[in-house]
Structure formats: C-alpha cells, structure tokens
Amino acid sequence: NFIKLKVNYLDKFAKGENDLVIDLEKQFEGQTSKYQEFDNVLLMNVLEHIYNYKNCVETCYKLTKKSGNLIGSTPFFFRIHPSPNDYFRYTEDALNKILKNAGYKDIKIYPLAGGIFITLYSNIFLITNKIPLLNNILLTLFSTLDQFLMFFTKSYKKIMPIGYFFTAKK
C-alpha cells in the first residue's frame, strides 16, 4: 500500500499551482487558507543561502503545526555554492541557538560525515569527479584514514563535519 502525501513547495520564484510563493528574506504575515500550518517543514540546504536567516527560521516556525517538525540540513566544511548567493556556515551551537530563539523545542543536531580526510575529499570533489572511479577510491581511502586516526585522537567528525542534519519540534 502506498501512502498518499500532500507536498507543497515554498519558493519565492514558485510557479506551480500547489507551490507557496514566500520570500524567506522578508517578514511573513499571518495565516491564510493558502499559507496553512504543516505537519513537517523541510529546510534542506537552504539556510546558508538566506542572509536574513532569523526571518527564515521564524517563518518556518509559523508554518509548522503545533507538535509539528522542522527537519533540515546545512553545510559546514563545504565549498561556496551560490544559488544565487551563499552567505553562512553554521556551527552546532549556532543552529541550536537559532532554532531555540525561534521557539522550537526538542532540538537534535547531528554532524554529517566529517574528519580531516573527508573534509579534504569534499573540497577536491569537483576536480576528482572528472576521472572515472577516482572518487570511489578516494572516498574509501579517506574514510579509512579518518577511522584509523580515531584510534590515536578524538573523533574529528564532531569538530570537522561536512555539514549538519537537524530536527526540532514546535
């Protein structure tokens, strides 16, 4: 059996009939039938592209139903990638404070892959992906080297993550 889900997309350039046209840089005003509250709001790799991040998170909070969830991710050690702009990188502490200040509770933040060598891999990917199979070899090698380093030092995943995945409840 398939679960039928209703999905709405939010974008200031949205053109689809179910899309919500909201500029996350600007103040969001109230509830209307079109701008209802949602069970889950996904904010995947968006936050770094929003200069007024506080407004963005507050808008997500307004669009989240009571007991609803915010689910998101954002890069940390990752190249600049304009869309059209790329403004910030957030630490775990910053994300926690930003989400808490917006009103979210039960905040959980997880570092995504990390370590000295995985960070290097992430930064050279645009060059090495042009050579067939090289990325697979490097990813395996660099992951193994980071695992090996954990025998001698603390885990660098927590202090050198490529990004963060987070969840929070309204």
Side-chain angles (χ1 to χ4, degrees):
N1 293 335
F2 289 99
I3 298 172
K4 190 172 183 171
L5 299 174
K6 181 180 175 190
V7 177
N8 296 88
Y9 295 92
L10 184 151
D11 189 335
K12 70 179 178 181
F13 303 114
K15 292 185 178 21
E17 67 180 62
N18 291 325
D19 293 346
L20 306 177
V21 180
I22 298 176
D23 186 343
L24 292 171
E25 294 274 3
K26 297 180 180 167
Q27 194 68 30
F28 174 71
E29 298 300 329
Q31 309 297 90
T32 68
S33 60
K34 186 171 183 179
Y35 297 111
Q36 59 198 321
E37 292 179 321
F38 298 94
D39 294 320
N40 298 293
V41 173
L42 302 177
L43 191 66
M44 308 301 286
N45 296 322
V46 172
L47 207 51
E48 71 273 15
H49 300 290
I50 306 294
Y51 186 76
N52 190 352
Y53 62 86
K54 182 178 176 186
N55 186 75
C56 173
V57 176
E58 288 172 356
T59 298
C60 289
Y61 186 81
K62 289 177 185 176
L63 292 171
T64 306
K65 279 184 181 175
K66 186 175 182 179
S67 298
N69 301 295
L70 173 67
I71 302 163
S73 64
T74 189
F76 186 67
F77 275 116
F78 194 73
R79 69 185 182 279
I80 303 282
H81 58 288
S83 183
N85 301 303
D86 189 346
Y87 296 109
F88 299 107
R89 296 297 180 266
Y90 301 90
T91 63
E92 182 176 348
D93 292 334
L95 288 168
N96 192 40
K97 196 166 196 169
I98 290 165
L99 296 172
K100 194 175 288 183
N101 286 344
Y104 284 104
K105 296 174 175 44
D106 195 22
I107 299 164
K108 295 184 174 102
I109 302 169
Y110 307 93
L112 297 174
I116 294 170
F117 291 102
I118 289 299
T119 302
L120 172 62
Y121 171 79
S122 173
N123 284 291
I124 64 172
F125 177 82
L126 287 177
I127 299 166
T128 60
N129 72 348
K130 310 275 188 255
I131 303 167
L133 295 176
L134 181 59
N135 273 332
N136 293 341
I137 294 166
L138 289 176
L139 179 59
T140 303
L141 174 64
F142 289 176
S143 294
T144 303
L145 288 170
D146 276 333
Q147 291 296 321
F148 179 72
L149 282 180
M150 284 197 299
F151 286 116
F152 304 104
T153 62
K154 62 183 175 181
S155 171
Y156 283 100
K157 181 177 180 179
K158 186 149 176 84
I159 63 170
M160 296 187 80
I162 291 175
Y164 292 102
F165 176 81
F166 55 88
T167 62
K169 192 167 283 296
K170 184 169 182 178

